[in-house]
Amino acid sequence: MRGSALKALLASGLAAVVALAVCGGPARAEPGPAPYLDPRLPVGDRVRDLLGRMSLDDKLGQMTQPERRYVTPEDVTRYRLGAVLSSGGSAPSPNTPPGWADMYDGYQRGALASPLRVPIVYGVDAVHGHNTVPGATIFPHNIGLGASRDPELVRRIGAATAEELAGTGVNWDFAPCVCVARDDRWGRTYESFGEVPELPSMMTTLVDGLQGGPASVLATAKHFVADGGTAGGEDRGDARITEPELRAVHLPPFREAVRRGVGSVMVSYSSWNGLKMHQNRYLITDVLKGELGFKGFVVSDYNGIDRIDDKPGFTEDEVVAAVNAGIDMVMVPTEWRRFIDYLRDAVNSGRVPMSRVDDANRRILTKKFELGLFEHPLADRSYMRTVGSAAHRALARQAVAKSQVVLKNENNALPLDDDDKVFVAGRSANDIGMQSGGWTITWQGGPGPITKGTTILDGIRQVAQTPDNITYERDGAGVDGSYDAAIAVVGEKPYAEYHGDRPDGLRLDPDDVKTIERLRAADIPLIVVLVSGRPLDVADRLPGWDALVAAWLPGTEGAGVADVLYGETAPTGRLPVTWMRDSGQEPINKGDGKAPLFPFGHGLDY
Ligand code: BGC
Ligand code: BGC
């Protein structure tokens, strides 16, 4: 037992018993704390004891996760709620680490004020660092980490993220997305470590990092299953694939996450051959919990139960379908009271068996005990100083450098020399928001100085060591033949989820094309750095470029891009996805016989 756990136990009443025993007081000591509060007992015993004390309403509350804007600490007490979440960009005011810790502690105190004092878990989408908090370290999005091929690096990123979360109280991360992105037109391609199952499987080390360190938070493998396999790359669409394909391509990363003990799994909004995953009992209960042996709890996606019948809002039928399919906790941001009422009715009428409710509670409570929440319910503010710390930023910079993929490099355009006179241009060159992408401060992310960090331009100035040799003009105006090289940093504007779907193709932005053309007219070596969540259609323009680097969405540490441009770090990144010749080839993937512009695994060295 940890020292602090012992202290908590003593404080909770054992002290009286011990004191009486030691002093040889009255024969009958005061009763000690309930067994479930005794950290010396095995988790299974504690769960059994607690479950035996819970009313139906206690159990319904545990299965319910409202969004912070629609719930108060008093509601948590009264309805014995099991969890609260911040959806994308949903932050306390002030949006600072202490603001988060205070908010979290407020909800947690609400939970501790209920008769059984069952702590909540608080979930956020920390999908590339603690990304809703200004000043937190923003790591590269998963697609870049997939390019690094470095699972140990990813484990360390998980551990760093867990520390930043812990300092603000947050104890549940809706990450990693272990999706296998098969069609790059999908708006969530950047959340994927790659298009083959081996990459997301390998990077489930993120789960070890999040859960396994001294600062330990619950991880979530999402979205179960085949979210990246939908027809046309449509977000929340339909994966029209056979079961052997589903098992060969989309299931393996979940198997690996389960093997590593991932605490929760989130169900996908998408369907499999027309059936919504949120009602797929075969895949959730038989395959995930049965065959894969998943012992944690299954959470629905945000309002995910609403979509089972394709009509807005949810009905009792949808609640029944979802819970009986095997969903244990329901992310029901606003209408959570109605959810509880429907579920109560369904249990009372026998439509949802009590055994199902008990199983869900057993799974949720097991994770809460394992996390040590009954002993340490409040935010551990000693980790607050790690938010955006120099050590985490250094790790992120290293991750950025390792994720750069040099796709083309002619006439030794790269690496640059420290004393080269360089002209830098492009919408993404000097913009923290652009280089961070979606899920940064807000759900969609956005251009501009949205948080603290080093832009790619700042990074170039730092790494070049002769900052006076670097000229920057966003649109490329003023470039001429007197420079040794020009760098165009261009790509995609931030987006998240279906907002990023591009069924009509992945063409370059017209402003970016103009900038590139302006630089090209100067007739000096031209290096294009693409800041994007996925491959873009560049084949027809590529002959006019000397070098092309895929920087993906690096996050706040833009110096990592410069490290590779200047050869401070040798390029080792390899494509985690196949780069299409034109987006009409989508879906295009390793081994499908199509002729890409750059194959999966491509990446040059110098
Ligand atoms: C997304 C999930 C996310 C959840 C909570 C959903 O829209 O699909 O990935 O975890 O929202 O923000
Ligand atoms: C939330 C996201 C969520 C989405 C689902 C948004 O309002 O901010 O977190 O994923 O809704 O539709």
Side-chain angles (χ1 to χ4, degrees), residues 26-114:
R28 277 173 61 85
E30 291 286 306
Y36 76 92
L37 292 173
D38 182 349
R40 295 168 309 184
L41 294 182
V43 165
D45 293 355
R46 300 178 73 184
V47 171
R48 213 167 305 121
D49 177 65
L50 174 53
L51 213 51
R53 297 166 190 267
M54 290 169 78
S55 66
L56 177 59
D57 281 340
D58 287 323
K59 294 175 185 175
L60 300 176
Q62 283 304 304
M63 297 171 70
T64 309
Q65 181 173 41
E67 209 282 338
R68 57 166 285 282
R69 288 166 294 176
Y70 312 103
V71 67
T72 63
E74 294 69 38
D75 292 329
V76 173
T77 314
R78 171 146 176 235
Y79 294 90
R80 292 94 160 94
L81 298 173
V84 176
L85 86 139
S86 274
S87 66
S90 177
S93 180
N95 185 1
T96 57
W100 278 81
D102 292 344
M103 169 187 71
Y104 167 86
D105 281 354
Y107 285 117
Q108 196 60 286
R109 288 205 173 89
L112 300 176
S114 71

Side-chain angles (χ1 to χ4, degrees), residues 69 86-89 125 236 269 301-302 307 439 443 497-498:
R69 288 166 294 176
S86 274
S87 66
D125 294 279
R236 308 180 174 189
Y269 283 129
D301 203 341
Y302 192 94
R307 296 159 212 269
W439 296 107
W443 178 35
E497 299 191 48
Y498 50 89

Side-chain angles (χ1 to χ4, degrees), residues 584-605:
Q585 286 182 312
E586 293 290 348
I588 179 170
N589 291 294
K590 181 175 186 246
D592 65 8
K594 298 182 186 173
L597 181 60
F598 302 114
F600 176 91
H602 177 69
L604 304 173
D605 310 306

Side-chain angles (χ1 to χ4, degrees), residues 85-89 123-125 127 173-175 177 188 191 220 222-223 235-236 266-269 300-303 307 331 439 443 497-498:
L85 86 139
S86 274
S87 66
V124 304
D125 294 279
V127 299
D173 190 2
F174 303 134
C177 186
R188 306 193 80 158
E191 296 189 60
T220 310
K222 72 185 188 184
H223 309 82
D235 192 39
R236 308 180 174 189
M266 187 187 294
V267 176
S268 179
Y269 283 129
S300 72
D301 203 341
Y302 192 94
N303 277 329
R307 296 159 212 269
M331 199 190 287
W439 296 107
W443 178 35
E497 299 191 48
Y498 50 89

